[in-house]
Amino acid sequence: MATMKLGSKSEALQLDGCTWVCKSELVSDVVIEVGEMSFHLHKFPLLNRSGLLKKMISEFQSPDGKCCVLQLHDIPGGAQSFELVAKFCYDVKIELNALNVVSLRCAAEFLGMTEDCVGGNLILHTENFLYEVFDSWKDSIKALETCDEGILSQAEELHIVTRCINSLAVKACADPSLFGWPVVGRISMKSPEDSSSIPWNGICTLEKSVSSAGGGGGDWWYEDVSFLSLPLYKRLILAMDSKGMKPEYIAGSLMFYSRRFLPGLTRASSFREGPNRINPAAVSAPTESDQKVLLEEIVGLLPTKMGVTPTKFLLRLLRTAMILHASPSCRENLEKKVGSQLDEAALEDLLIPNLGYSMETLYDIDCFQRILDHFMLSDQSASAISTTSPGITTDERQLASSCLSLTPMTMVAKLVDGYLAEVAPDVNLKFPKFQSLAGVIPEYARPLDDGIYRAIDIYLKSHPWLTDSEREQLCRLMNCEKLSLEACTHAAQNERLPLRVVVQVLFFEQLRLRTSIAGWFFVSSDNNSRPHHHPHPHSHPHGEAHKNDLFPPTDDITIDDEKDNDHHQLLAVDEMRLRVSELERECSSMKQEIRKLGKQKTGWGFFSKRFGLGSKSHLL
């Protein structure tokens, strides 16, 4: 830490309780009261250095001729600053450093210690030392931390805060190797994939020293600025942003700062993660009202660039905003940010507990619905921008649109299906809400409909009172033709599904088997029509026969393998033919019986008997 020494004399002031007394043969003729402290000094050293004290002493009138008593309760820095001022006036040795120069500079301005009083006065010395402080990152941080409420207004008037913030912003945005000052960062960002050594928000807790000689990442300044008060931190982040700081680093700093002062960010985000866990480093947390203000400010500072701020962190902020009852605009802003990059979210982070006043459902499904709507709007906007560029043909527009939207939409469709499966057991989840949430995803976004089928089946199991019409409407959300073989097998025996859906499943399974058989026939006929060339055993490149007769020629092995393959193919074809014949007989019999039955329940009873699904009482 940089220092500047002033004065040449030894200590001349002595502290006695709350009183400073000048050790001199002359009797004190002026008393300066600063707060609870009083300073018994002499007029001449003070008159020579301070314009304000000179004026106050000259205007002081004592009717009884007592000692001059002056009060300086408003001096910046209080008694500590005036102690240094008094020593400077007596030419006593003092040391300026980054921790006292700001308050001393403000005190000198308050007392009018200019060059008009005497050359080499305190304002000149402190101002010169401030330039030396601004050359150092560490000293600038320490000086800015001292700009608290007691001297903030005076420091603002002297532009000390602005100059300090600009100095820090320039250093943080520049390459540390270009400067002669050391940079030490104790906290480093890690990649989100390295989950073995990082907490939830990507901040590594392992200390890492980064020097100007050794280089390092752009996150070396995170911990240093996290000790600043919120107003100063906000101004510093805005200054860094204006000077070209990368949005990734701004987002990382905001994450680090939030984690220090918002203990709710490190707690469980859903009921499945167990009880809340409080971060030990955030024991002395601010009050809830202060946390609410801080969170709203942090959200306002988040970079607008999509994908810069991790989706996991945004969802933690959103959950904390609901706990602290942040403003609607704050929560809406977070929901939009999460929606714009919903394809990067994890299912467990989307399971936000319902903290509303109604508490109708276990999880906040309305919040997820709004997030999903924002994603659909952003996806449509991205597709529209990419396909309206001039000079692109219609086919190219369609290809670009599908490439842009298919992968994120497919990932979101998987998230939605998983989310529906998690919330489906909630008996308070109304049918229209489940239906509307599942219907947002377009059909092309699901390569397979196993996920939505699983969610529908869980919902039907947890809501047995649904009407036949509602069951039919739910099953229209899935495409039976896009179910896997395992899902078809399950659905064909699922007594909770409407009969029409089961018949569709059996039909598409039959169609799939027919297609497979046609494919086998094509492959088999193609292999049989392909000529086989068997080279002569003596047709060696060098005209030599096989020297080792213990091993048969490779051509014979190939012929045997082909025979085995043909044999297996014929067996597989026979099995498929048998399966198709059975399905055809079953479907034909079912169609005849369904025509005879007048009610669907009777059809269900027949269906259960045919496939061994249990008695009729178990189906209702």
Side-chain angles (χ1 to χ4, degrees), residues 155-203:
E156 290 283 10
E157 292 177 1
L158 298 175
H159 305 289
I160 297 176
V161 177
T162 302
R163 288 184 288 168
C164 192
I165 287 177
N166 289 336
S167 172
L168 291 171
V170 170
K171 291 177 176 61
C173 296
D175 185 358
S177 61
L178 301 178
F179 296 88
W181 39 266
V183 177
V184 177
R186 291 176 291 276
I187 304 296
S188 177
M189 288 287 290
K190 294 283 186 178
S191 62
E193 292 78 11
D194 187 12
S195 58
S196 59
S197 60
I198 59 175
W200 65 267
N201 60 356
I203 303 295

Side-chain angles (χ1 to χ4, degrees), residues 253-316:
S253 177
L254 292 170
M255 291 166 60
F256 192 94
Y257 193 85
S258 303
R259 182 170 170 264
R260 177 180 291 277
F261 296 105
L262 295 175
L265 292 178
T266 57
R267 299 178 185 176
S269 63
S270 68
F271 299 110
R272 299 193 311 170
E273 297 184 30
N276 291 341
R277 301 179 300 274
I278 300 177
N279 182 15
V283 175
S284 57
T287 62
E288 287 192 3
S289 59
D290 292 337
Q291 291 184 47
K292 176 183 174 182
V293 173
L294 188 146
L295 186 141
E296 292 175 352
E297 292 288 352
I298 292 295
V299 172
L301 292 173
L302 289 173
T304 57
K305 185 179 179 181
M306 188 177 67
V308 171
T309 309
T311 309
K312 179 180 286 290
F313 174 69
L314 293 174
L315 286 168
R316 294 286 175 125

Side-chain angles (χ1 to χ4, degrees), residues 409-422:
M409 185 68 74
T410 301
M411 298 177 67
V412 171
K414 185 177 180 180
L415 282 174
V416 172
D417 293 346
Y419 186 87
L420 289 171
E422 290 292 336

Side-chain angles (χ1 to χ4, degrees), residues 41-60:
L41 307 173
H42 300 87
K43 294 180 180 180
F44 179 74
L46 302 179
L47 294 173
N48 193 32
R49 294 285 184 177
S50 171
L52 176 63
L53 291 177
K54 181 178 181 180
K55 179 181 178 182
M56 294 177 66
I57 291 173
S58 63
E59 293 177 353
F60 181 80

Side-chain angles (χ1 to χ4, degrees), residues 11 57 121 131 212 245 251 262 272 349 391 416 463 564 571:
E11 186 65 52
I57 291 173
N121 213 344
Y131 288 104
S212 59
M245 175 62 72
L262 295 175
R272 299 193 311 170
D349 297 320
V416 172
H463 300 75
D564 292 339
L571 290 177

Side-chain angles (χ1 to χ4, degrees), residues 73 86 103 112 116 184 207 211 229 261 284 313 322 327 336 405 410 435 479 482 489 491 506 526 541 586 604:
H73 299 304
S103 60
D116 295 336
V184 177
E207 293 192 356
S211 63
S229 62
F261 296 105
S284 57
F313 174 69
M322 293 178 176
S327 64
K336 288 182 178 179
S405 60
T410 301
Q435 184 184 28
N479 187 351
K482 293 166 64 176
T489 304
L506 291 173
D526 184 64
E586 295 291 344
W604 264 111

